[in-house]
Every structure is written in structure tokens, then in C-alpha cells.
């Protein structure tokens, strides 16, 4: 006896919200009154996207500081060290502020769990923060210059981990638009971080003294643009059915990410072509910093949107089941 | 092969793994489980409103709702209504299969106490832990409200409570289990839709039950999360459903996110190494 399929009948089916006209018809699927299957992470705006941006800016600034110090760009190294300390301090404030019980933030260091990117990140932060701080304080005050140089190198080793672990932090969730992009997200974040740090260096330093910042900005922006394209191409799945790229491409989030891409590309071109102009260099740098922040906000919002709509959870899982064991 | 989560968590000499088998085919939607859970665990009220979703005004699991009864009204051919009754005795509202009848599905949802728990894996403070019974419990005095578990759960079960900023969910009545009692919801269930016991026994009982239902013509009856080979290593709480999981608001093929974490760390490592190499390249670049 064939089962009388309830699809399309009654209230088990998802109801479309008022008046929305999708460009591509949604894949047919069933849900419980259109309710989300998973829950949005209990993470606030601007705290968490701000943290993603600032952590990246800090970590990559430490990379720039060490490179600039080694190759004799003293002024740029100073800017980058101060930027790293400022950004990591603000990011720590954002992180603690987002906790439901901020007074218990030290519980983050109660255990070390490699299975929790937040635990790994907390320990990284506990190690990196003081080192980046020592590098900046020594630079500005001139005390203990040898220790300061060692701290600069130390920060350049830990900083890259700070800038990239946040990709695992958001991808290690049930949020479809983040999780399915885990193979590319670390490169998007590394590129975005490098482009922000390089951009800040270009903004704050005369172009004659900012060559390493320019190189970092150009490399970072190029990596970010390519990795983000690859991420979206992968999660779109090459199917006319439900695409996980949709939350990245539609609505306000789509506009934010398109603006970010435009500013990144513009900043990249300006950094390459405007090397003799203080104004063009500074504008390019500002564009890249803004683009990095917008990219993190956009990615954050896309993930939250994919958690809220049950189709992004149900349709890929249903497709996966049907590919493994055809149902009848 | 089936994982022993309590032993893996370091409980060397532990009692058998305990769990829930929720047989939705005999649920009558009385919500006694919701009430008993709130009463026993002193879970605060979380608002009263009319949802318009059949008899479900609870809407879903949350920080202050650890049992949730779903109600689904489906239009089906009249012959499908009351199909557990022999067809000669079944009252007919119309003429044969073409006539419309209503099938009313009810199901009590709860935390799945996954064998591979994403919430427990990602918790940075150790507030979430595995008990000797193989269940997953939050320690209220440790949780700092970071919210990571909330987005990691593939079922949207655990949530942060606004009043105290901490994460809360079903404890499978850890206190009652310790005293040799069954959980409050199972105790209160008048139809034995919620069954509590050693997980091995429950799985065996569920397999027999689904065979009976198939023999009675309920072809759509299916077990959900009973299989240790699934994406969460099987649930400590599992279900007998009369339709596809998504009809009840459950994900059809949940996979614990941390299965991909080693691969995530690998990509993070490559990206970070790229940045370190960039620092070195900048340092040995054109000298000023």
C-alpha cells in the first residue's frame, strides 16, 4: 500500500511569509509551521562580528609589525604594534560583553578543549594579548628594547592563529551557511585580516614608508576575493534547488557583501596604482579596513539568516539522504 | 560499532546508559510531560500566547521548555484515519479513499542526549558534561553564557535564558536518576508514549513496536535517532514517528558539527602558516 503523502496538505507545510517573491522557486520541503529547525547562535551584534574583525586586524597587524621591524620600516612597525594592542583590547571587551554572565569570563580558562574552538581561542587570546601588549609598550616607551623585539616575533607567531581560528569558531556550528563553508572560511578570514592590517598601515603611514603594508594589503585583498568566490561557488552546490549561497547574496546582507567586495577591489587597485600619492594610499587603506569589517558583518548576518529559515537546514539534509539511499 | 559515551568520558564503573524512547503513535497530546518537567525541575514560566499552531502554544523547546508536544493536523484520505482500528469497524465520514479526513499527529520532543554531542564538544568552560548514565547536563554554577552550544546543537534544543544569561536544557532528571527514580515526564505520561530505561532495552522494544505498526498497515512509521551509525552516533533519546522527521520540526539527517572539526583545524593551520610565511617574506623583502 502506498502511503498517502501529507506533503502539500495542512499545516505541516511551510507557509510563505507575506508577499515575498523569490527569484528561483524554492525546493519543495516540509517543516513544522515554518519554524526553524536549529537555533541562531546566542551571539550579539556588534559584539561578535566586531570581534571577528578586530581579532583579524590585531593578528595580521602583528605579522606586519614583525615584517616591518625586520626590514627596517620603523615607523610602520610602530603603527602596527599599537594597532595590534588596540584591536585585541577592544576585541576582548567585545567578547566579554557578549557573555550571558560576563563576571564568569575566567571560566574560559577552567579547561583546555581542542574540541571547542572557543576554548582554543581563549587560550590563544590569553597568550597573545600580553605578548602583543609587551611589543607595543616597549615600542612606545623604549624600555626593554630586546624583550620588545622578542615579543614582536612572538606576536607574529601567535597573531596568525588569532586571525584565523575564528573561522573554525563560526564554522563549528550547526549553522548551514557557515558550516558548509568551512574549507574556505579560514582563507577568507586570513585574507580579510591581512587586507585590514595592511590597509591600516597605508592609512596611518606615508606611502614612502609603507611598502610592507602595501604588499600585505594587496596580497590579503587578493586572497580574500578569491577565497570568498570559491566559498560561495562550493556552497551553492551547482544545483537549481536550494542554494546555501543565497543568504550571502540576498537582501541587506547581499548588499553589505557586495559593497565589501567593491571596497576590497577598489582598495586593492588603489594600493597598487597609487603608491606615490599620500591621498590615494590613505583612501585605499581606509577602504580595505572598512571592507574587512563589512565582510565579517555580512558573513555573520548570512549565517544567522541561514539558521532562521528551516529550508537551509532541511533541504540539504533531505538531498543528502536521498543521494545515499534512494527512498521509495 | 556503538560508542559507550560514559566510559569515553572517564566513568570507569558506570551504570547502563539510560534514555528515552518516545513512541509518538500513542501520544494523546495531554502535555502532562511538559507540566511534570516544569514542576519537578522548577523551570520558570516563559510566556503564554496563542500560536495558531493547532493545540501547540508551547511552540518549541527552549531554555525554559525541556519537553514540547508538537501537534500536526494533516488532511488524508478518510480510510487512513483511525487506521489502527480494523477497517470494517472504522467509522467513515465519506465515501472511501477520496474523502478527506484529518490525521492528528502528536509528539513529545526533548533533548536527544546525543552519543556525539555538539553542545558538549564546543562548550569552552566544561559546564556541559557527560554523566555516568551517558546523558548530557549543564552545570549551572560553571556556565558563563558564551552561547556556543546554542548554535552548535543540530536540533535547536539548548538555549540561553534571558533572566540569568545561562544555557539550559533537559537534564534527563539527573537528580531523579541518582535516586533510582525515572524522569518526571516519563512518570507523568499516561499512555507510556514516553518510556524510560536502559537504552539497549528501549531500542529492542522500539524495533518490535515499529514491526507491529508496519504489520497494522502504518507504513510510514519509522524510528528516528535509534541508529548508532547515524550522524550523532544515535540519540540517548530516540523516537517512533508516523511521518518524516521534518514534519515534526526535526532535522532529517543531523550530523554533529565536530566531525568536521579536524578538517577545519587543518585549514586554519594552513591559513595561519600562510600568514607566518608572509611575515617572514615581508621581513626579508626590500630593505628600506
Amino acid at each position: 500500500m502506498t502511503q498517502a503523502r501529507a506533503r502539500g496538505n495542512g499545516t505541516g507545510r511551510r507557509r510563505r511569509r507575506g508577499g515575498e517573491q523569490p527569484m528561483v522557486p524554492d525546493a519543495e520541503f516540509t517543516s513544522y509551521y515554518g519554524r526553524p529547525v536549529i537555533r541562531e547562535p546566542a551571539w550579539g551584534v556588534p559584539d561578535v562580528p566586531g570581534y571577528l574583525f578586530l581579532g583579524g586586524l590585531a593578528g595580521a597587524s602583528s605579522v606586519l609589525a614583525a615584517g616591518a621591524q625586520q626590514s627596517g620600516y620603523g615607523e610602520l612597525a610602530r603603527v602596527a604594534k599599537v594597532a595590534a594592542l588596540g584591536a585585541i583590547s577592544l576585541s576582548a571587551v567585545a567578547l566579554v560583553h557578549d557573555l550571558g554572565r560576563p563576571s564568569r569570563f575566567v571560566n574560559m580558562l577552567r579547561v583546555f578543549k581542542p574540541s571547542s574552538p572557543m576554548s582554543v581561542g581563549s587560550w590563544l587570546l590569553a597568550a597573545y594579548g600580553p605578548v602583543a601588549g609587551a611589543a607595543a609598550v616597549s615600542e612606545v616607551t623604549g624600555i626593554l628594547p630586546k624583550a620588545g623585539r622578542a615579543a614582536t616575533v612572538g606576536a607574529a607567531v601567535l597573531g596568525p592563529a588569532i586571525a584565523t581560528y575564528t573561522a573554525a569558531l563560526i564554522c563549528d556550528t550547526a549553522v548551514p551557511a557557515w558550516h558548509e563553508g568551512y574549507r574556505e572560511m579560514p582563507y577568507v578570514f586570513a585574507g580579510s585580516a591581512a587586507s585590514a592590517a595592511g590597509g591600516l598601515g597605508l592609512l596611518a603611514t606615508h606611502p614612502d614608508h609603507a611598502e610592507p603594508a602595501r604588499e600585505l594589503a594587496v596580497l590579503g585583498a587578493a586572497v580574500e576575493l578569491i577565497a570568498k568566490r570559491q566559498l560561495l561557488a562550493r556552497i551553492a552546490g551547482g544545483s537549481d534547488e536550494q542554494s546555501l549561497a543565497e543568504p550571502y547574496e540576498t537582501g541587506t546582507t547581499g548588499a553589505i557583501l557586495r559593497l565589501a567586495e567593491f571596497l576590497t577591489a577598489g582598495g586593492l587597485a588603489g594600493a597598487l596604482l597609487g603608491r606615490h600619492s599620500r591621498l590615494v594610499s590613505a583612501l585605499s587603506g581606509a577602504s580595505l579596513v572598512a571592507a574587512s569589517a563589512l565582510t565579517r558583518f555580512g558573513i555573520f548576518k548570512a549565517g544567522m539568516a541561514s539558521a532562521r529559515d528551516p529550508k537551509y537546514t532541511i533541504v540539504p539534509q533531505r538531498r543528502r539522504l536521498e543521494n545515499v539511499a534512494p527512498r521509495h | 560499532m556503538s560508542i559507550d559515551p560514559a566510559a569515553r568520558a572517564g566513568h570507569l564503573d558506570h551504570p547502563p546508559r539510560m534514555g528515552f524512547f518516545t513512541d509518538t503513535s500513542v501520544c494523546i497530546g495531554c502535555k502532562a510531560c511538559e507540566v511534570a518537567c516544569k514542576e519537578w525541575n522548577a523551570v520558570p514560566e516563559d510566556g503564554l500566547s496563542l500560536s495558531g499552531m493547532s493545540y501547540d502554544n508551547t511552540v518549541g523547546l527552549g531554555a525554559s521548555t525541556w519537553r514540547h508536544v508538537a501537534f500536526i493536523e494533516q488532511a488524508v484520505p478518510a480510510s487512513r484515519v483511525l487506521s489502527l482500528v480494523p477497517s470494517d469497524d472504522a467509522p467513515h465520514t465519506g465515501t472511501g479513499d477520496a474523502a478527506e479526513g484529518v490525521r492528528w499527529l502528536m509528539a513529545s520532543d526533548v533533548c536527544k542526549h546525543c552519543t556525539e554531542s555538539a553542545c558538549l564538544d564546543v562548550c569552552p568552560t566544561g559546564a556541559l558534561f557527560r554523566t555516568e548514565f551517558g546523558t548530557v547536563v549543564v552545570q549551572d554554577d560553571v556556565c558563563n553564557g558564551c552561547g556556543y552550544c546554542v548554535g552548535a546543537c543540530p536540533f535547536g534544543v539548548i538555549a540561553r535564558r534571558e533572566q540569568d544569561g545561562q544555557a539550559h536544557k533537559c537534564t534527563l532528571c539527573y537528580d531523579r536518576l541518582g535516586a533510582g527514580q525515572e524522569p518526571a515526564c516519563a512518570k507523568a505520561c499516561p499512555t507510556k508514549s514516553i518510556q524510560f530505561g536502559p537504552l539497549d532495552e528501549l531500542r529492542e522494544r522500539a524495533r518490535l513496536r515499529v514491526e507491529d505498526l508496519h504489520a497494522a498497515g502504518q507504513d510510514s512509521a519509522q524510528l528516528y535517532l535509534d541508529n548508532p551509525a547515524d550522524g550523532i552516533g544515535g540519540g540517548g533519546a530516540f523516537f517512533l514517528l508516523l511521518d518524516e522527521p521534518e514534519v515534526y520540526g526535526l532535522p532529517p539527517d543531523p550530523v554533529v558539527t565536530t566531525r568536521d572539526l579536524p578538517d577545519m583545524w587543518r585549514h586554519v593551520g594552513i591559513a595561519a602558516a600562510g600568514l607566518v610565511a608572509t611575515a617572514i617574506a615581508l621581513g626579508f623583502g626590500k630593505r628600506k
Side-chain angles (χ1 to χ4, degrees):
Chain A
M1 172 178 155
T2 42
Q3 187 206 345
R5 186 53 66 132
R7 265 175 229 278
N9 290 327
T11 50
R13 190 178 167 77
R14 173 173 183 260
R15 289 168 177 169
R16 180 158 297 291
R17 290 184 294 267
E20 181 185 317
Q21 283 296 323
M23 303 295 284
V24 182
D26 282 346
E28 191 191 328
F29 77 106
T30 318
S31 78
Y32 186 65
Y33 300 95
R35 303 270 315 160
V37 172
I38 62 161
R39 198 174 283 277
E40 289 176 62
W43 292 339
V45 175
D47 289 350
V48 174
Y51 172 75
L52 301 178
F53 163 67
L54 290 167
L57 177 60
S61 288
S62 291
V63 165
L64 179 58
Q69 174 175 283
Q70 183 64 31
S71 53
Y73 289 84
E75 186 193 348
L76 181 63
R78 170 182 297 234
V79 164
K81 287 177 199 179
V82 172
L85 175 59
I88 206 64
S89 305
L90 274 176
S91 82
V93 170
L95 197 64
V96 172
H97 182 252
D98 193 61
L99 295 177
R101 297 289 296 260
S103 62
R104 292 186 182 173
F105 74 94
V106 288
N107 284 6
M108 291 289 189
L109 303 181
R110 198 177 155 266
V111 291
F112 174 74
K113 285 173 72 174
S115 71
S116 169
M118 197 181 285
S119 171
V120 173
S122 298
W123 284 101
L124 276 174
L125 214 55
Y128 169 79
V131 175
V137 170
S138 168
E139 173 73 42
V140 172
T141 60
I143 56 172
L144 299 174
K146 271 192 176 167
R149 291 181 78 84
T152 302
V153 173
V157 173
L158 291 167
I162 289 283
T164 51
Y165 96 86
T166 43
L169 180 76
I170 65 165
C171 293
D172 191 27
T173 59
V175 175
W178 291 339
H179 183 94
E180 297 308 315
Y182 77 81
R183 294 169 191 84
E184 291 84 12
M185 200 70 82
Y187 309 105
V188 175
F189 276 27
S192 175
S195 120
L200 192 62
L202 282 179
L203 180 61
T205 320
H206 190 278
D208 291 347
H209 308 296
E211 193 53 33
R214 186 181 315 280
E215 288 164 4
L216 184 66
V218 168
L219 176 68
V223 167
E224 192 220 293
L225 288 173
I226 295 166
K228 199 159 63 185
R229 285 286 166 102
Q230 286 186 334
L231 187 154
L232 292 178
R234 179 197 293 277
I235 66 176
S239 164
D240 56 346
E241 283 201 352
Q242 203 55 63
S243 158
L244 274 175
E246 194 179 73
Y248 288 95
E249 289 167 345
T250 50
T252 322
T253 306
I256 289 173
L257 286 172
R258 278 191 296 279
L259 176 61
E261 192 164 35
F262 173 77
L263 288 175
T264 306
L268 171 61
L272 274 176
L273 304 173
R275 66 179 64 231
H276 299 301
S277 160
R278 177 79 175 100
L279 181 66
V280 174
S281 282
L283 281 176
S284 307
S287 292
L288 292 173
V289 175
S292 177
L294 288 170
T295 298
R296 308 311 177 96
F297 272 77
I299 289 172
F300 184 82
K301 280 172 67 79
M304 296 302 245
S306 78
R308 275 193 298 271
D309 193 326
K311 71 183 175 188
Y312 298 119
T313 303
I314 294 170
V315 175
Q317 291 191 17
R318 184 46 75 191
R319 197 187 296 152
R320 185 163 69 209
L321 277 178
E322 276 156 12
N323 287 343
V324 172
R327 304 172 79 87
H328 39 263
Chain B
M1 200 40 228
S2 178
I3 296 169
D4 177 353
R8 201 175 48 173
H11 298 286
L12 296 180
D13 187 22
H14 63 82
R17 185 176 180 191
M18 304 303 271
F20 284 131
F21 165 43
T22 306
D23 177 356
T24 71
S25 71
V26 291
C27 178
I28 55 171
C30 70
K31 304 189 193 178
C33 51
E34 290 189 11
V35 177
C37 173
K38 283 244 184 192
E39 285 288 330
W40 179 263
N41 293 297
V43 176
E45 69 90 29
D46 51 350
L48 275 175
S49 60
L50 296 177
S51 66
M53 295 156 52
S54 188
Y55 274 32
D56 179 6
N57 293 315
T58 309
V59 178
L61 294 172
S64 299
T65 305
W66 298 350
R67 269 279 178 188
H68 160 240
V69 182
F71 292 76
I72 302 115
E73 296 174 33
Q74 294 179 334
V76 293
S79 63
R80 296 272 305 158
V81 181
L82 295 179
S83 59
L84 290 178
V85 179
S87 56
D88 293 346
D89 304 339
H92 281 265
T93 53
T95 50
D97 271 16
E100 287 281 286
V102 171
R103 182 166 78 146
W104 205 6
L105 301 177
M106 297 150 203
S108 180
D109 194 14
V110 70
C111 170
K112 317 308 181 278
H113 295 275
C114 308
T115 304
E116 295 173 59
S117 293
C119 62
L120 192 158
D121 284 343
V122 304
C123 175
T125 62
L128 275 150
F129 77 108
R130 179 80 60 182
T131 74
E132 65 273 33
F133 300 105
T135 57
V136 179
V137 175
V138 191
Q139 301 176 81
D140 287 343
D141 55 343
V142 177
C143 174
N144 67 4
C146 76
Y148 204 177
C149 52
V150 176
C153 173
F155 303 97
V157 169
I158 195 165
R160 204 157 75 174
R161 189 180 289 162
E162 269 184 38
Q163 294 92 322
D164 64 10
Q166 294 176 218
H168 298 274
K169 71 169 193 71
C170 162
T171 69
L172 215 136
C173 282
Y174 188 37
D175 50 350
R176 293 176 64 93
L177 262 58
Q181 298 280 316
E182 65 181 321
C185 56
K187 183 92 180 170
C189 179
T191 65
K192 287 280 168 226
S193 171
I194 300 174
Q195 301 178 30
F196 166 78
L199 195 57
D200 292 343
E201 284 178 30
L202 293 177
R203 282 181 178 152
E204 180 61 18
R205 203 184 299 167
R207 201 178 52 74
L208 296 172
R209 174 66 181 158
V210 83
E211 279 173 12
D212 284 352
L213 285 171
H214 287 164
Q218 285 284 347
D219 298 338
S220 59
Q222 55 183 286
L223 294 180
Y224 177 66
L225 306 181
D226 63 311
N227 185 356
D230 71 19
I232 59 162
F238 67 100
F239 302 80
L240 188 157
L241 305 175
L242 294 180
D243 204 331
E244 301 297 341
E246 55 266 41
V247 170
Y248 298 87
L250 298 164
D253 186 28
V255 177
V256 59
T257 180
T258 29
R259 280 200 183 167
D260 293 322
L261 187 57
D263 211 21
M264 291 180 207
W265 282 136
R266 190 169 65 80
H267 286 290
V268 166
I270 296 170
L275 281 174
V276 173
T278 305
I280 295 168
L282 290 176
F284 290 97
K286 283 175 297 220
R287 299 196 71 84
K288 195 177 170 198

